[in-house]
Amino acid sequence: MKLLPLAALLLLLTEACAPVRPATTAASTAQPPVSPELYRTIALQDSLMFVAFNQHDVATLQTFFAEDLEFYHDKGGLANFQQTMQGFRNLFDQNKTTGLHRQLVPGTLEVYPINNYGAVETYQHRFCHVENGRDDCGTFKNMMVWRLRDGRWQVTRVVSYGH
């Protein structure tokens, strides 16, 4: 298994800010939750993770990811935990003044249980930053596999696509 070089990871993370598609309205396509309690749990974890992302807080952000993380990106390839965290650090350093932030597209979050493991979460999210005095945004698809171990939820797999 070949791991994604740091330069390619940086490319995939900065691509998150490139305008690719307008935001879509997917509220009518999201399925009702299989388990409302699991849905609320994962929605909260997602929200807390991206509070850390939006604050450019790598120390907190990394606590949401397992050490055996595999981050798959349709353009950039595969990255492990260390490469992903370094990519976040570099991305945040490059965007100290751009207002880089992530928003969950309303109505797109779906959560399904994975028996004896955790849950899978799918959604669309929008990344924006200011470039040349204007908002520059892109909307992308994402899937995360969450593992529940010793009462702690962590992401073990990310699949980011639709770039």
Side-chain angles (χ1 to χ4, degrees):
M1 171 169 29
K2 186 174 180 180
L3 295 179
L4 178 69
L6 183 56
L9 179 62
L10 291 175
L11 174 65
L12 73 91
L13 290 172
T14 55
E15 274 186 17
C17 301
V20 174
R21 293 187 185 99
T24 57
T25 308
S28 62
T29 63
Q31 301 295 316
V34 173
S35 165
E37 180 182 345
L38 180 63
Y39 180 92
R40 285 189 299 274
T41 297
I42 297 302
L44 175 62
Q45 292 299 310
D46 179 271
S47 176
L48 294 171
M49 175 191 296
F50 283 100
V51 165
F53 179 91
N54 289 342
Q55 293 175 347
H56 300 187
D57 179 357
V58 176
T60 300
L61 185 59
Q62 72 183 11
T63 66
F64 289 92
F65 294 95
E67 290 285 331
D68 60 342
L69 172 70
E70 291 180 0
F71 190 120
Y72 298 90
H73 189 277
D74 61 351
K75 302 283 186 189
L78 173 63
N80 65 23
F81 177 85
Q82 293 80 14
Q83 292 166 320
T84 300
M85 294 310 115
Q86 186 59 51
F88 284 134
R89 282 189 285 279
N90 293 343
L91 181 66
F92 297 156
D93 284 345
Q94 294 170 357
N95 285 278
K96 287 182 180 178
T97 62
T98 67
L100 173 65
H101 65 282
R102 179 261 196 177
Q103 304 164 337
L104 179 66
V105 174
T108 64
L109 179 67
E110 296 183 31
V111 176
Y112 300 92
I114 300 176
N115 194 33
N116 297 317
Y117 189 82
V120 62
E121 169 191 25
T122 65
Y123 54 86
Q124 291 182 36
H125 54 183
R126 184 171 172 86
F127 290 88
C128 297
H129 72 284
V130 175
E131 189 170 311
N132 298 321
R134 296 188 335 198
D135 279 345
D136 188 4
C137 300
T139 301
F140 311 99
K141 296 177 182 179
N142 205 62
M143 181 200 72
M144 293 195 287
V145 176
W146 291 85
R147 175 175 61 206
L148 177 60
R149 183 184 282 169
D150 301 324
R152 182 175 180 197
W153 287 97
Q154 286 188 307
V155 174
T156 58
R157 302 295 180 268
V158 177
V159 179
S160 183
Y161 58 102
H163 296 93

